[in-house]
Amino acid sequence: MNQHPDEPFVGGETETPGEAQRPGAPTLAEDLLLLLFQPGAGTIAGENTLFYTLAGAVLADLALGDHVRTDTGWGGTTRVEAIENRPPSDDILRSTWDYVSQKPRGVQTVLAAIGPTLRSPLLDRLIKRGDIRRGTRKALGLFNTTVLEDGGSGRRGRLLEDVRDVLVEGAEPQPRVAALAALLSGSGTLPQFHHEIPWTSPVITRAKELEQGNWGAGAAAEAVARTVTATIVNNVIIAATVLPRN
């Protein structure tokens, strides 16, 4: 099931850190990485399968923006293809769009190809925004070590509250919030948020509904995006839970 890209993927942003401009609106993958950041510990939840999850967020973002679609390939596999003349403006999203615009590719192939390049540039963006900052601490009382700390912007708290409203309070989600909640659930990291989002049967049920694209009546206009996103999330689940064991 584990597929490998038949051409190398060249991803990430092309500017050097000194040349890079302040990023525009946050991508879905940035929001997901910010949610996965654990301020108290200074760690990122789900590091072992993080690149699958971030790659899924990139594809979901492209689907929500009507830049890609999925279809069924040989043997019933799910492929992702670029929608012609619909490139995104964001550099990270554009590099993935360029990759799949060469030809339709299996979702698992795309996840494996783009995922490993994502963590560093996405984290750099969050630091530029002030959502996360790099600090230093003493290791063993002797050596300075770099750690991640809350940047004080408050954006992580707002994102978490949006997800909580959907999963706990039953609020009808905006598409991006639905995708975030579905990706958190699909990646297996949702139980780590139990202090803010109680890990109860109703929450589990609602999260699984979001994974399957059941976003609520108000999401009818995003029917195609819901279907594509659900397909991507389920491929993330396969990648994050099945492939590492093989």
Side-chain angles (χ1 to χ4, degrees):
M1 186 177 292
N2 195 3
Q3 305 175 50
H4 299 281
D6 37 22
E7 289 119 12
F9 170 75
V10 179
E13 297 170 290
T14 58
E15 299 151 314
T16 65
E19 296 169 339
Q21 298 177 348
R22 185 174 181 82
T27 63
L28 192 65
E30 287 172 69
D31 285 350
L32 182 62
L33 183 58
L34 181 57
L35 280 172
L36 291 172
F37 168 61
Q38 306 295 295
T43 59
I44 305 294
E47 282 276 19
N48 290 341
T49 54
L50 182 63
F51 78 80
Y52 291 120
T53 312
L54 294 179
V58 168
L59 287 181
D61 213 348
L62 290 170
L64 291 173
D66 197 28
H67 303 294
V68 301
R69 57 178 166 247
T70 58
D71 66 5
T72 302
W74 181 259
T77 59
T78 301
R79 304 184 306 173
V80 60
E81 63 177 352
I83 297 177
E84 191 175 359
N85 300 320
R86 289 282 302 171
S89 59
D90 180 87
D91 288 344
I92 291 177
L93 299 183
R94 177 60 186 262
S95 63
T96 298
W97 186 90
D98 286 341
Y99 178 61
V100 298
S101 69
Q102 297 170 13
K103 66 178 183 180
R105 302 177 189 273
V107 174
Q108 293 292 335
T109 294
V110 179
L111 293 176
I114 71 174
T117 68
L118 292 173
R119 186 187 189 278
S120 180
L122 291 172
L123 181 58
D124 286 344
R125 287 187 178 191
L126 293 174
I127 290 170
K128 284 182 184 178
R129 295 183 194 283
D131 298 325
I132 295 175
R133 66 184 178 91
R134 288 190 174 97
T136 57
R137 292 179 188 169
K138 289 284 187 182
L140 303 176
L142 297 172
F143 307 104
N144 285 331
T145 182
T146 300
V147 295
L148 299 178
E149 299 175 344
D150 188 351
S153 69
R155 197 164 72 83
R156 182 182 183 276
R158 293 191 294 273
L159 287 171
L160 190 55
E161 186 64 26
D162 288 342
V163 173
R164 186 187 189 282
D165 284 347
V166 171
L167 293 177
V168 178
E169 306 300 334
E172 189 163 304
Q174 294 297 314
R176 284 175 63 89
V177 178
L180 280 173
L183 285 161
L184 286 175
S185 177
S187 68
T189 58
L190 198 53
Q192 297 186 46
F193 295 83
H194 63 93
H195 290 300
E196 300 91 353
I197 301 173
W199 188 238
T200 62
S201 293
V203 166
I204 295 170
T205 298
R206 182 58 177 139
K208 294 301 179 184
E209 289 174 349
L210 294 173
E211 286 179 21
Q212 299 301 319
N214 182 8
W215 294 358
E222 293 87 18
V224 174
R226 283 190 292 116
T227 300
V228 174
T229 303
T231 299
I232 291 165
V233 169
N234 279 278
N235 274 272
V236 169
I237 295 170
I238 293 170
T241 61
V242 177
L243 299 184
R245 298 176 186 173
N246 294 334

